[in-house]
């Protein structure tokens, strides 16, 4: 089982989350986005103008996303090196645009 963390919950990050939620060999365990609050993450994930309404369930529970009954930790770090991926067991992280430097992400996984 691959445990992934998504750094950036824009259109592509949400698409990666949708794909991961439908797979049995991948588990989404964390999302980082310093620019989007949790309530808006839920709204955008449910109602995507390109990919349509999410057919599963998504809600905010405390400070976490709950996607189809699975908890996803939410972080709001601007510096990718400060994302505590290891605390949620991330084995692979995905990043786009503002945080596209894997060398800056690597320290947060180990």
């Amino acid at each position: 089982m691959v445990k992934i963390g998504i750094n950036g919950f824009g259109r592509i990050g949400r698409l990666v989350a949708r794909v991961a939620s439908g797979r049995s060999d991948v588990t989404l365990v964390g999302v980082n986005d310093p620019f989007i609050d949790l309530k808006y993450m839920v709204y955008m994930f449910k109602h995507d103008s390109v990919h349509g309404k999410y057919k599963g369930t998504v809600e905010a529970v405390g400070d976490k996303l709950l996607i189809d009954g699975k908890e996803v930790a939410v972080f709001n770090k601007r510096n990718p090196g400060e994302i505590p991926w290891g605390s949620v067991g991330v084995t692979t992280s995905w990043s786009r645009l503002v945080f596209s430097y894997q060398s800056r992400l690597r320290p947060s996984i180990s």
Side-chain angles (χ1 to χ4, degrees):
M1 174 74 63
V2 176
K3 294 182 178 181
I4 66 168
I6 298 173
N7 189 21
F9 209 56
R11 180 165 316 267
I12 296 171
R14 292 190 310 273
L15 181 57
V16 171
R18 280 179 176 228
V19 170
S21 69
R23 296 182 57 123
S24 61
D25 59 340
V26 175
T27 300
L28 176 61
V29 294
V31 169
N32 180 68
D33 198 310
F35 308 111
I36 304 171
D37 69 21
L38 182 57
K39 187 175 177 181
Y40 196 49
M41 283 182 180
V42 169
Y43 176 80
M44 289 191 312
F45 193 81
K46 279 184 182 179
H47 309 281
D48 191 285
S49 61
V50 172
H51 303 289
K53 187 170 181 180
Y54 184 64
K55 296 188 184 350
T57 61
V58 60
E59 59 186 308
V61 176
D63 60 351
K64 297 181 185 326
L65 277 172
L66 194 64
I67 300 175
D68 296 331
K70 298 176 186 168
E71 283 190 354
V72 179
V74 175
F75 305 108
N76 302 105
K77 304 292 185 185
R78 283 188 76 113
N79 179 349
E82 295 176 0
I83 306 166
W85 291 132
S87 70
V88 292
V90 168
T91 54
T92 302
S93 65
W94 184 88
S95 186
R96 180 80 176 139
L97 298 175
V98 175
F99 305 111
S100 62
Y101 302 103
Q102 283 295 334
S103 62
R104 289 175 60 190
L105 288 170
R106 186 59 45 205
S108 66
I109 294 174
S110 47

